[in-house]
Amino acid sequence: MKNQNKKNNSLEYRKQWANKKVLVTGADGFMGSHLTERLIELGADVSVFVRGTSINGTTQYTLKKIPPKVKNKIKNFICGDISCHDSIDLIRKNSPQIILHLAANAYVPFSFQHPVEVMNTNLIGTLNVLEASKQVPDIERIVCTSSSEIYGTAQYVPMDEGHPLNPSSPYAASKLAADRYSYSYWNTYGLPIAVIRPFNTYGPRHVYDVIPFFIKLALLGEPLTVHGTGEQSRDFTYVDDMVDAFLLMGIHPNAVGNVINYGSGKDYSIKKIAELIKEISNSPSQIVFGERRISEVERLFCNSSKAKELLGWEAKIDIEEGLKRNIAWCRQNGNLDNLI
């Protein structure tokens, strides 16, 4: 009965988004586009911060993931570079009640060659959001998006929020710095900040990372290249479950001042993911092995008991069902070149 009450409470909090003035940064990314779509379904007053420019008074931007039906219902488009100081004033003028900060340069291998650019987007961009939040009089919540990558390879499993923080890539280091700055702004300035640490998320509209790569190759009948032994493992969560996690972090009072992990509570080897995608898609693709990647995290396996205890959240969609949905979406949307 106790767990059932928590689930009911979490559903009630999701209903509180109606008419909330919300700003989503990184709204045209994989996770941000799904979150924006759900917020509009829930009746929120949504503005988005997307990368763009203003030329001769005309705002120019390109949307790749926000569906047209969603775009038409967005209240305001703020265009700029989240890492530039100008973004502080842009966010202040928007004056949101809730900021869901997802803007990031999130492809880990990109950080190997562009560590400064990644640091500017992920850390300085977050600092700009935090500084802007100090100037918004009616701010109720700032959700800052961290990453499971900040933990590095698991020293014990499942990995809770107290696990040592050992980022193994420039990307992970930039996210760790942003994570800790976010916590410091709650502690120092009393801002209503909640830090979400998602483990690997997958689903429609994702265009990088192992699952979309493997799905594209499987549907084309091309070899699935597993780097290293393939025994390295990840905790994969379907996007619909992670959207629910963001919604709770943005509205539930228990989230303020907390850092909370979100994951499925199961880990799967990369080799196993390749096998499942090959099987579910009925693909003739062969599974082959390549060189081990640099800065490879060997294991990520989430302990999301804090999310369940404080907010009543737990993942509902298992890996087989999630992959079926993801593969079906890719087939229906046709152009496989858009998947990478």
Side-chain angles (χ1 to χ4, degrees):
M1 181 63 70
K2 183 178 179 181
N3 287 338
Q4 185 62 45
N5 287 338
K6 286 182 179 177
K7 290 180 181 179
N8 290 338
N9 287 339
S10 69
L11 290 173
E12 287 302 314
Y13 282 112
R14 292 184 187 104
K15 295 177 182 177
Q16 294 182 21
W17 286 96
N19 300 314
K20 285 290 184 182
K21 190 174 182 183
V22 185
L23 174 63
V24 182
T25 74
D28 196 41
F30 159 55
M31 191 70 230
S33 70
H34 283 277
L35 187 54
T36 299
E37 185 172 15
R38 183 79 72 83
L39 286 165
I40 286 173
E41 290 173 357
L42 293 173
D45 181 350
V46 181
S47 296
V48 299
F49 192 117
V50 295
R51 193 173 183 89
T53 58
S54 180
I55 300 176
N56 297 324
T58 301
T59 300
Q60 298 184 355
Y61 55 89
T62 300
L63 298 180
K64 295 182 178 180
K65 295 186 178 64
I66 295 177
K69 65 177 183 179
V70 176
K71 177 183 174 182
N72 295 334
K73 296 179 181 179
I74 292 172
K75 186 67 173 292
N76 294 300
F77 284 87
I78 303 172
C79 299
D81 182 344
I82 199 73
S83 67
C84 289
H85 192 267
D86 291 349
S87 64
I88 296 175
D89 200 43
L90 292 172
I91 293 170
R92 180 189 62 78
K93 288 179 179 178
N94 183 255
S95 192
Q97 293 172 287
I98 299 173
I99 300 174
L100 302 174
H101 174 46
L102 292 89
N105 201 318
Y107 185 44
V108 175
F110 183 81
S111 74
F112 302 157
Q113 300 299 323
H114 306 276
V116 175
E117 181 178 342
V118 170
M119 183 276 292
N120 282 333
T121 300
N122 296 353
L123 173 56
I124 304 305
T126 297
L127 277 169
N128 287 338
V129 171
L130 296 171
E131 281 296 301
S133 300
K134 289 164 60 179
Q135 302 176 35
V136 176
D138 298 322
I139 195 72
E140 296 177 7
R141 186 72 51 87
I142 311 104
V143 177
C144 294
T145 307
S146 185
S147 169
S148 59
E149 288 283 329
I150 70 174
Y151 293 119
T153 295
Q155 296 185 18
Y156 60 81
V157 294
M159 303 163 77
D160 58 20
E161 292 80 1
H163 187 282
L165 305 175
N166 294 308
S168 64
S169 67
Y171 163 77
S174 72
K175 293 299 285 186
L176 174 55
D179 177 305
R180 294 295 77 198
Y181 260 104
S182 299
Y183 178 83
S184 76
Y185 269 60
W186 166 76
N187 189 59
T188 303
Y189 303 109
L191 288 174
I193 290 169
V195 178
I196 182 170
R197 288 181 183 163
F199 281 62
N200 295 66
T201 307
Y202 69 101
R205 303 179 203 152
H206 200 8
V207 295
Y208 61 85
D209 216 344
V210 65
I211 286 179
F213 276 131
F214 281 176
I215 289 176
K216 174 187 176 176
L217 294 170
L219 294 181
L220 292 173
E222 297 180 5
L224 311 186
T225 300
V226 175
H227 293 276
T229 66
E231 294 306 315
Q232 63 270 35
S233 66
R234 299 291 184 270
D235 186 320
F236 294 99
T237 306
Y238 192 68
V239 63
D240 290 359
D241 283 331
M242 200 59 76
V243 166
D244 287 341
F246 273 91
L247 292 175
L248 283 167
M249 291 294 284
I251 209 79
H252 200 298
N254 288 350
V256 174
N258 270 303
V259 174
I260 305 180
N261 285 347
Y262 288 89
S264 71
K266 296 180 180 178
D267 67 326
Y268 293 87
S269 72
I270 302 303
K271 179 183 176 184
K272 179 64 175 178
I273 293 297
E275 292 169 348
L276 284 171
I277 289 173
K278 176 177 162 66
E279 177 185 348
I280 293 169
S281 64
N282 195 28
S283 171
S285 295
Q286 298 298 309
I287 297 173
V288 298
F289 293 85
E291 292 184 1
R292 182 182 183 273
R293 284 180 167 165
I294 64 172
S295 299
E296 182 79 87
V297 173
E298 290 301 321
R299 192 178 191 189
L300 290 173
F301 179 3
C302 180
N303 180 342
S304 57
S305 60
K306 185 175 180 180
K308 185 175 182 180
E309 180 64 28
L310 288 180
L311 309 181
W313 181 93
E314 56 185 337
K316 301 179 180 65
I317 301 168
D318 64 28
I319 191 69
E320 289 85 359
E321 176 61 25
L323 289 176
K324 286 178 184 177
R325 296 185 188 186
N326 203 165
I327 290 167
W329 180 87
C330 290
R331 281 185 164 136
Q332 291 167 4
N333 284 269
N335 187 358
L336 297 176
D337 289 336
N338 290 333
L339 294 181
I340 61 172

